[in-house]
Amino acid sequence: MKKLEEIFDDKLLPMDEAKRQYYFIDAAKDIVAEKEAELGRKLTFCVNTFGCQMNARDSEKLVGILEQIGYVEGKDEDSDFVIYNTCTVRENANNKVYGRLGYLHNKKKKNPHMMIGLCGCMMQEEHVVETIRKKYSFVDLVFGTHNIYKFAELLVRALLSDSMIVDIWKDTDQIVEDLPVERKYSFKSGVNIMFGCNNFCSYCIVPYVRGRERSRNPRDIVREIEHLVEDGVVEVMLLGQNVNSYGKNLDEPITFAQLLEQIEQIEGLERIRFMTSHPKDLSDELIETLAKSKKICKHFHLPLQSGSTRILEKMNRRYTKEDYLLLVDKIRSKVPDMAITTDIIVGFPGETEEDFLETMDVVEKVQFDSAFTFIYSKRTGTPAASMEEQISPEVVKDRFDRLLAKVQEISQKKSGALTGQVADVLVEEINGQDASLVTGRLSNNAVVHFPGDAGLIGKIIQVRLNECKGFYYIGEQV
Ligand code: SAH
Ligand code: SF4
Ligand code: F3S
C-alpha cells in the first residue's frame, strides 16, 4: 500500500482543485481495492443525512465520491464506513447525533474495519468538535461544510491514519465545480445556486455554520442543469438559504428572476422549484417572472417566523406583519393558484400572548396550504440566546399546540381544492403501502396516489383527482 507521504508528494499534486480531488479519488480507489482483496468482499458505506435540502444535496456529493472510489451502498449502520451529515439548526438535531454515536461505538467494536465520519453544520461549532475529541475519540474523520469538496483527500488521510482526522474551516470563498455527484432520484435533483447566508436572523445558527453568502456563476448553474436534463432529470429544486438575494455578489450581478428566466429556456426541463425565499428580498420582478413562467411550480415557501412586527424586529427579519401580508396579496393577485407554505417559530424570547395572537392572525388571514411550526431553540452564539425573557416551556407548549391545531385545520380545509380536476403529476415512486399504486406530486407539491406501475416513475402524467383524503389525493390516469 502506498504511504501517505508518497500520495501527498507536492510534485504529483495537481494545482487545479477539482483535478486535485480526482487525484485523491484515484489514490483512495487503490487503497480501497487493496482492502477489498484482503477481505474478499466489497467495502460498504452509509450516509445518514439530517437537516435541510442543502445537506441532502451535500450528501449526494459524498455518495458520488464514495461510489467512484469503489464503495458500494451498505445496510444502514452495519456498513464499513458510516457518515453522519449533521444539522444544528435546533438543539434536538444535535442530541440525536450524540445519541447515535454511542450506538455506533458498539458496532465499531465488532467490526475493526469500520470507519465513522462526521460532517455538516454541527461540526462547524467549536464546542461540538471539542466534545467529539474528548468523548467520542473512536470517530475517524471530522470535517465541516466549507471543505466538503475535499472529502476524497480527507478520506485518503483517514484510511491511512490511526488517529482521528479533523479538518474544519471557519469560512471559504471557494466554489469548486465539476466533482462527482450521485443523485437519490433519477428524475429530479437539487441544484445549489448559492451557499451561506448573510442575514443573521437573531435566533439562527446557519450564518455561523454555513459562512457568508456566495452565488454560483449562472453559466455553471445552467450547464449543470443541462447535464442533469440530458441524464433524465425533469424537475430541479434551486437551493439557497435566501434565493431572492441570488447574484448580488457576482462580478456581473444578475437577479434571481433573471436566473429563473435563463433556466426556463432549458429544453427538456419541465419543472422548476426553489427554496428558500426571504420575504425582505422578494421583488416585484420575481412575481412577474412567476406569473409568466410555464415551468415554475405553483408552490411558494415563504417563511413568516412570526406575525408580530415587534418580534420580527427582534428577530432581525427586516419586514413587518403588513409587509408580509402585502407580499402574499401580490403573489396571489398575479398567480391565484399558487400554494403558499411557511415556517413559524413559537416562543422566541420576549414573545407575549399579544405577539402570539398576531402570528395566529397572519395564519388566519393568509390561509397557508401548510406550515412547519417550530418551538424556539436556543442556539449558543446567536444574539437571541442572550436575550432576556426566555419563555417558559409550559407557555411555549400551549402556544405551539394552539398554533398547530389552527395550521392543521386550515391545511385540511384547503387540501381538497383541486378535487375533480385533471392535473399533471410527476410520478416519484411505487406507493409504500399498496404496490398497485404510484405516488407523485402536483405542481403545488400536493401528493397524489393513483393506479400505475414502475414504468411511470419520472414521467409527468395527467391524472384526474377523484378524491381528497386529508393530505393527499386519490386519482386515476386519464
Ligand atoms: N433560510 C431559511 C431557513 C433555514 S432554517 C429562511 O430564512 O427561511 C429552517 C427553519 O428553521 C427556519 O425557517 C426557522 O423557522 C427554523 N429555525 C431556525 N433557527 C431556529 C431556532 N433557533 N429555533 C427554532 N427554529 C429555528
Ligand atoms: Fe437563518 Fe435567517 Fe439565514 Fe434563514 S435567512 S438561514 S433563518 S439567518
Ligand atoms: Fe441544518 Fe445546516 Fe440546513 S444547520 S437546516 S443542515 S444549513
Side-chain angles (χ1 to χ4, degrees), residues 8 20 29-30 46 81 119 214 248 274 430 460:
F8 280 82
R20 182 182 161 105
K29 245 185 221 170
D30 294 341
C46 150
F81 190 12
C119 64
R214 283 151 286 141
K248 287 188 179 154
F274 53 83
I430 298 283
I460 294 182

Side-chain angles (χ1 to χ4, degrees), residues 89-90 203-206 241-242 276-278 303 305 317 343-345 374-379:
V89 79
R90 286 170 289 274
Y203 50 82
C204 182
I205 193 93
V206 170
Q241 292 300 350
N242 176 10
T276 303
S277 282
H278 194 307
Q305 312 302 1
R317 289 290 287 180
D343 292 348
I344 300 170
I345 298 176
F374 303 107
I375 286 180
Y376 166 72
S377 172
K378 188 169 167 174
R379 308 312 293 132

Side-chain angles (χ1 to χ4, degrees), residues 90-335:
R90 286 170 289 274
E91 177 101 48
N92 54 6
N94 289 37
N95 294 340
K96 254 189 242 162
V97 170
Y98 287 131
R100 292 308 281 179
L101 280 177
Y103 169 76
L104 280 191
H105 195 194
N106 286 330
K107 296 252 176 212
K108 188 164 176 171
K109 284 181 197 150
K110 290 185 205 130
N111 176 4
H113 295 281
M114 183 173 176
M115 291 202 345
I116 300 171
L118 298 175
C119 64
C121 296
M122 202 178 146
M123 300 305 126
Q124 291 295 138
E125 294 183 279
E126 267 173 45
H127 66 92
V128 170
V129 176
E130 247 168 69
T131 306
I132 289 163
R133 283 192 206 266
K134 273 199 216 121
K135 290 202 191 152
Y136 305 92
S137 57
F138 55 89
V139 169
D140 299 274
L141 174 59
V142 179
F143 57 102
T145 55
H146 302 304
N147 55 347
I148 187 162
Y149 67 83
K150 281 205 175 306
F151 176 53
E153 178 171 348
L154 295 167
L155 179 55
V156 167
R157 281 190 194 277
L159 282 164
L160 297 177
S161 152
D162 293 326
S163 54
M164 186 192 296
I165 303 289
V166 179
D167 191 17
I168 309 287
W169 301 358
K170 281 215 170 346
D171 210 339
T172 184
D173 52 13
Q174 245 195 319
I175 297 176
V176 181
E177 299 287 345
D178 296 329
L179 290 174
V181 188
E182 183 62 34
R183 292 195 309 279
K184 192 168 165 199
Y185 297 95
S186 59
F187 52 88
K188 66 171 182 177
S189 180
V191 173
N192 298 107
I193 63 166
M194 58 204 298
F195 302 92
C197 181
N198 284 354
N199 291 309
F200 291 94
C201 302
S202 64
Y203 50 82
C204 182
I205 193 93
V206 170
Y208 305 86
V209 297
R210 285 275 173 179
R212 293 296 60 72
E213 197 174 286
R214 283 151 286 141
S215 293
R216 276 177 79 194
N217 195 311
R219 281 183 296 279
D220 290 330
I221 297 170
V222 168
R223 192 171 50 125
E224 178 179 349
I225 299 175
E226 284 169 350
H227 286 159
L228 288 168
V229 169
E230 279 164 25
D231 200 30
V233 165
V234 291
E235 177 179 298
V236 290
M237 166 75 91
L238 309 177
L239 298 172
Q241 292 300 350
N242 176 10
V243 292
N244 296 338
S245 71
Y246 170 80
K248 287 188 179 154
N249 57 3
L250 286 170
D251 293 339
E252 296 165 42
I254 80 163
T255 62
F256 180 51
Q258 289 168 327
L259 176 71
L260 282 170
E261 275 159 23
Q262 290 189 21
I263 295 174
E264 176 101 14
Q265 304 305 319
I266 299 174
E267 219 162 294
L269 182 68
E270 306 275 354
R271 282 181 170 187
I272 305 169
R273 297 184 187 276
F274 53 83
M275 86 183 323
T276 303
S277 282
H278 194 307
K280 82 175 162 66
D281 297 314
L282 206 178
S283 65
D284 290 348
E285 184 201 16
L286 178 63
I287 298 176
E288 289 297 334
T289 303
L290 300 181
K292 274 192 304 208
S293 169
K294 299 208 161 40
K295 296 186 179 176
I296 299 172
C297 287
K298 305 281 185 224
H299 172 211
F300 209 100
H301 186 65
L302 192 62
L304 166 69
Q305 312 302 1
S306 169
S308 152
T309 297
R310 199 180 71 85
I311 293 293
L312 285 169
E313 199 177 331
K314 289 180 67 170
M315 287 177 160
N316 192 30
R317 289 290 287 180
R318 287 171 276 175
Y319 53 87
T320 62
K321 175 185 181 182
E322 289 69 30
D323 294 336
Y324 188 93
L325 290 172
L326 186 67
L327 280 177
V328 170
D329 281 348
K330 275 193 198 167
I331 297 172
R332 290 211 169 120
S333 71
K334 297 276 178 190
V335 195

Side-chain angles (χ1 to χ4, degrees), residues 53-69:
Q53 308 242 10
M54 304 272 176
N55 260 18
R57 184 65 179 157
D58 282 349
S59 288
E60 292 184 342
K61 295 175 186 168
L62 299 177
V63 172
I65 291 171
L66 286 166
E67 293 194 339
Q68 289 244 324
I69 289 173

